[in-house]
Amino acid sequence: QVQLVESGGGLMQPGGSLRLSCIVSRSIFSGARMGWYRQAPGKVRELVAGITSGGATNYTDSVKGRFTISRDNGKTTVYLQMNNLKPEDTAVYYCNTVPGMSWLWGQGTQVTVSS
């Protein structure tokens, strides 16, 4: 049974925007703090942004002011709006709870920022 599905990645030029979506099963989503993570080639996966069930957010320093995490509790979906993309944002992006549950990692969605 698929517990979550990420989508929305792609190839974008520097300065561009993308919006990622993650549909999560209700049993996991309800009341959970959710987050977007990313893993670049040769690097450790990192938490990019998190959001509580009440909407409080936090971001890693490198994306503050550029990325916005949000959630739609009715649709059990978490979003990541990414603006002013930079080449260093290139990575596979994943959603998961915060902290992440090892069995919940999905396929992720590739974001490539290149001119």
Side-chain angles (χ1 to χ4, degrees):
Q1 182 179 359
V2 177
Q3 302 291 346
L4 60 80
V5 178
E6 302 112 333
S7 63
L11 173 64
M12 184 58 62
Q13 291 187 339
S17 298
L18 284 173
R19 189 176 84 150
L20 307 183
S21 299
C22 179
I23 301 174
V24 187
S25 65
R26 187 168 296 276
S27 62
I28 294 170
F29 188 90
S30 297
R33 184 183 177 202
M34 297 299 301
W36 281 98
Y37 301 75
R38 68 184 178 188
Q39 187 167 22
K43 294 190 176 181
V44 176
R45 184 156 46 198
E46 64 170 341
L47 176 64
V48 174
I51 185 167
T52 67
S53 57
T57 59
N58 66 284
Y59 301 90
T60 193
D61 285 347
S62 62
V63 307
K64 284 180 180 177
R66 301 189 298 122
F67 290 11
T68 303
I69 188 171
S70 61
R71 64 192 288 160
D72 185 325
N73 291 333
K75 296 181 179 178
T76 65
T77 300
V78 59
Y79 303 97
L80 186 67
Q81 177 67 43
M82 305 186 294
N83 298 328
N84 190 22
L85 284 161
K86 302 178 179 181
E88 51 264 41
D89 295 320
T90 295
V92 179
Y93 285 71
Y94 305 86
C95 71
N96 203 324
T97 56
V98 180
M101 291 188 278
S102 59
W103 56 269
L104 189 57
W105 296 108
Q107 296 295 314
T109 185
Q110 176 71 48
V111 172
T112 302
V113 184
S114 175
S115 55

